[in-house]
Amino acid sequence: DLMLYTSMSQVRAHRSRGMHNAAYLQIGYDEDRYFEGPAEMYGSRFDVVFLGANYNDRQWSSLPGHEAGLRRAAVSAMRSQFGKRFGLFGRAWGGGAAHLPPAQSGDVYRASHLSLSVSLCSFLERYSSDRLLRALACGAPVLMKAFDDWQSFGLAHGESALVWETPSEAVALTRTWIDPARREALREIGRRGAALVREHHCWGVRMQELYPLIV
């Protein structure tokens, strides 16, 4: 049976153990739920938003080098710097943050100037949380924590995403790009990101990539 993984690191590890049916296939996104919104909605609610759980380190002890702590640090920095203009949704954050049903997440992205993407780890080749594609599809320019081989997604810093390594860099990028004088340039980054995922990362494209793996 075919075994599919969302990182090339896992594929190579399994193939090295003789499991030659291991293959890479990244996740897609639901185009009916994640799409660009009207111009008047953009940035109307938040300057930057993050949708994701606050993971307990003990829960991921089997993944050495995970970045649950980095996620907490990035969220803390955003909360401190942007207050109520930072939208936080997800389990275990406290302070009024609540889980957001997936059906409502697109509306939150469409009402934000920027979206924050911090996966659980960045050392697995070509692995990222599916929130990256969802946010991009909504036209919310993504503040993306760099991950191994992220350029293979077709993304480029300053063109279709804003890429950072440390929470302080993420805050600095946010301050720079939410300046009203750069608003239209930021909006254009969001548009290019949305166009990129529509063309290369929707479920229709994924099924085309799956077909040669199963025939």
Side-chain angles (χ1 to χ4, degrees), residues 126-149:
R126 302 196 74 192
Y127 168 76
S128 176
S129 165
D130 53 1
R131 79 173 50 82
L132 171 62
L133 301 181
R134 294 172 180 174
L136 286 165
C138 291
V142 176
L143 283 165
M144 183 184 75
K145 168 63 177 69
F147 57 91
D148 193 353
D149 199 23

Side-chain angles (χ1 to χ4, degrees), residues 147-162:
F147 57 91
D148 193 353
D149 199 23
W150 59 268
Q151 295 93 337
S152 66
F153 278 49
L155 294 164
H157 176 61
E159 295 183 15
S160 49
L162 298 170

Side-chain angles (χ1 to χ4, degrees), residues 47 82 113-114 173-181 183 186:
D47 285 329
F82 302 104
H113 282 134
L114 286 157
L173 282 168
T174 302
R175 288 205 173 281
T176 295
W177 283 96
I178 63 172
D179 184 331
R183 193 65 47 78
L186 179 61

